[in-house]
Amino acid sequence: MSENGMQDRATDRSQELIGYIRAKTNRLLEVMGTVPLNPEELDDATLLAVDPIGIVTDSFEQVLEHLQKTNSELAATRDELQAIFDSAGGAIVVVDEKMEVVACNSYSQWALFAGERNVMGKNLRSLICGHDQEECILEQILTTQRRVEQNDFLHDGRHYHLVGTPLKNHDGAISRVVLLYTDITERRAAAEEIERLAFFDSLTGLPNRVLLKDRLAQLLTRAGRYNEMVAILFIDLDRFKEVNDTLGHGTGDQLLQVVSERLTACLRSCDTVARLGGDEFVVLLPGITERDCVGDIAAKLLQSLCKPVQLDAREVFTSGSIGISLWPIDGDSVSTLFKNADTAMYHAKEQGRNTYRFYTPQMHATSMEQLTLSNDLRYALERGELHLCYQPQVSFETGGLIGVEALLRWIHPKLGMIPPDRFIPLAEDTGLIVPIGTWVLHEACRQAMMWVAQGLPSLRVAVNISAKQFRESDFSDTVKAVLQTTGLAPNLLELELTEGMLIENVTQTKLTLQSLKDMGVTLAIDDFGTGYSSLSYLKHFPLDRLKIDKSFVKEIAEKSGDAAAIVEAVVALGHSLKLTVIAEGVEQQDQVDFLHNRKCDELQGYFFSRPLTPQALEELLRKGVNGPEFCLYRYQ
């Protein structure tokens, strides 16, 4: 080959090398992202001087520095996200499409996976085994491809609100499921407590009035669909107040708890027993087809209530009065049925208690009459419709008139004479008994003082005091003011109290009685033997007289029961306590004979005289004064 050929060949190879270098350099600069150099603008000598290895080294150093910075930032972000993940107020678990755990926070570790040190890669079913709810929510997410929520997931005795959210890849397939468990155990318990307080009685645990009305409304809807009857039984305990007043409210509460248990035990699981408050209970009986079966159930309830109750080593007896209304016969609404059952219950009480009565339309008319009387009674005092009459009290020893009992009468302008047993309970219920009682006290003392002023024999006048009057904080002051206003000598006033009134608050009672005694007022226990007696207290009260209830005196004549033994015991008890004993309701000679043989001190009743108007009694006193001997009765 010639020398020129060899030079040409070398030149070609050099151009090929330069072209190769130029192409690779251009690509290198493009990939590395360095300051762009255009190889076409470089001459061959400069291009051959380019150091590609240096360019690569510099570029890799830049990339490495960038990667280190990025990794550091990613690590910080990851730590920050993990801290947020762990500080969440609930358990967070992430599973893949195979339900294997790929992530979880620290909360879930101790709340859900207690005892499991490493849960990563394990199937969630094997970690929380035996919970169909867990599988159910995962299957729902996989099936619906949507977020699923479960209100109450139970695990290890704790309640959770569970939310499952699917995460999808770029193909739309679920790659992860995020499960969030929020512990609602305390919240659920608080809600249950709120519901219990709102719908259940705190003492007995029975449904209260609110829940009762709701259940009755539901029962009426169902009964209308199946053409059945629903029975509503209003139950009120008889003389429960006496238990409270005598034995204390704690004992009364225990009795109410026993009653609730007994009522529940007598009924079916579909029946409802509720407590309205106080000593009032209501029973709902659904699915009733015959009226008679309701009466049988009521009788069964009464029989259960009559059994003695052992409370604090003391045997207590109680009973109940039940009023019954039936849907749809006695009303088509909840309020009407309640009202009619309540009306029937009051009629059961009026019929002697410890019995039941079905509602009748006539009862409504009677209730309306009672309401009218109650309203009229509010104006009876100011209209001058109330009057006092006086029944003589006779000494067994002298046969003479030694005192009178002031008895209240109401002459209604339209209805005429209203018996005391009809309007006195109304006065008690409405609270009118306090102002009426004060008027009676003042009127009796005024009348007694008038007789004294007229020169007639001085008579002790006995006035019945109601429990509400006696509990007034200024009762002693009221009595003192009445005596000062009327001018009556205190020893001519006798206040008749009942056993229950005395025993309710013994300390305060003793203070009040002593205050009255210090004034010179005479004190008596009325209707002795009919209430809850406490002889240990009786001997410490400054009393003067025991009054034997007329029910015992009546039984003496009928020769029935243990009345004779009771009367004999009361007389002996009174004398042992140095008290005068008076028997009321004496109507027959054999009663007089019996009481005389038992050395009863005083007598009162129709056998001697009916209650007299002030004018009639004044006439009697004048005849006695003018006669040779002032004597109503001389025992032969």
Side-chain angles (χ1 to χ4, degrees), residues 188-323:
R188 178 186 173 94
E192 290 176 350
E193 178 64 12
I194 291 173
E195 180 180 6
R196 187 185 68 80
L197 294 174
F199 299 110
F200 292 88
D201 175 56
S202 59
L203 177 64
T204 62
L206 296 176
N208 63 11
R209 185 186 299 269
V210 176
L211 183 56
L212 175 70
K213 290 188 174 181
D214 180 70
R215 287 191 181 178
L216 179 56
Q218 295 181 33
L219 288 178
L220 296 185
T221 301
R222 183 185 183 280
R225 187 180 304 123
Y226 293 100
N227 195 29
E228 297 173 337
M229 290 191 298
V230 177
I232 298 90
L233 284 67
F234 255 64
I235 305 173
D236 188 89
L237 299 185
D238 299 329
R239 298 187 177 89
F240 175 74
K241 185 177 181 301
E242 294 182 10
V243 176
N244 258 351
D245 292 347
T246 306
L247 304 180
H249 292 281
T251 302
D253 288 346
Q254 293 180 51
L255 179 59
L256 291 174
Q257 291 171 336
V258 172
V259 167
S260 68
E261 293 171 359
R262 290 185 177 182
L263 294 176
T264 303
C266 291
L267 300 169
R268 305 166 298 178
S269 59
C270 63
D271 300 329
T272 296
V273 185
R275 181 184 176 220
L276 297 188
D279 60 338
E280 293 183 331
F281 296 83
V282 173
V283 171
L284 301 182
L285 303 177
I288 300 300
T289 56
E290 295 182 3
R291 183 175 183 269
D292 291 344
C293 71
V294 180
D296 294 339
I297 294 173
K300 181 180 178 182
L301 294 175
L302 291 175
Q303 184 179 11
S304 176
L305 292 177
C306 286
K307 296 177 182 178
V309 182
Q310 196 73 23
L311 299 175
D312 296 333
R314 184 188 296 270
E315 198 171 54
V316 176
F317 292 86
T318 187
S319 61
S321 299
I322 301 179

Side-chain angles (χ1 to χ4, degrees), residues 427-448:
E428 291 277 3
D429 293 339
T430 58
L432 292 171
I433 194 67
V434 175
I436 290 176
T438 301
W439 176 85
V440 170
L441 180 63
H442 186 278
E443 179 62 17
C445 291
R446 185 194 65 82
Q447 182 62 67

Side-chain angles (χ1 to χ4, degrees), residues 551-552 554-567 594:
S551 61
F552 299 124
K554 180 180 179 181
E555 287 190 24
I556 292 174
E558 296 175 351
K559 296 181 175 57
S560 61
D562 300 322
I566 293 175
V567 171
F594 179 89

Side-chain angles (χ1 to χ4, degrees), residues 113 173 277 311 331 409 428 489 622:
F113 309 128
L311 299 175
R409 296 292 182 262
E428 291 277 3
R622 291 190 183 281

Side-chain angles (χ1 to χ4, degrees), residues 502-564:
L502 300 182
I503 300 174
E504 179 180 358
N505 186 338
V506 176
T507 302
Q508 184 58 46
T509 295
K510 291 177 68 174
L511 293 174
T512 303
L513 293 180
Q514 192 58 55
S515 175
L516 295 170
K517 195 65 180 174
D518 292 342
M519 294 181 204
V521 173
T522 304
L523 302 174
I525 294 187
D526 193 18
D527 302 333
F528 187 77
T530 60
Y532 287 85
S533 301
S534 181
L535 302 182
S536 61
Y537 290 143
L538 190 62
K539 64 183 180 180
H540 297 298
F541 293 144
L543 302 172
D544 300 284
R545 186 173 280 97
L546 288 185
K547 199 168 188 181
I548 302 174
D549 186 68
K550 59 185 177 182
S551 61
F552 299 124
V553 176
K554 180 180 179 181
E555 287 190 24
I556 292 174
E558 296 175 351
K559 296 181 175 57
S560 61
D562 300 322

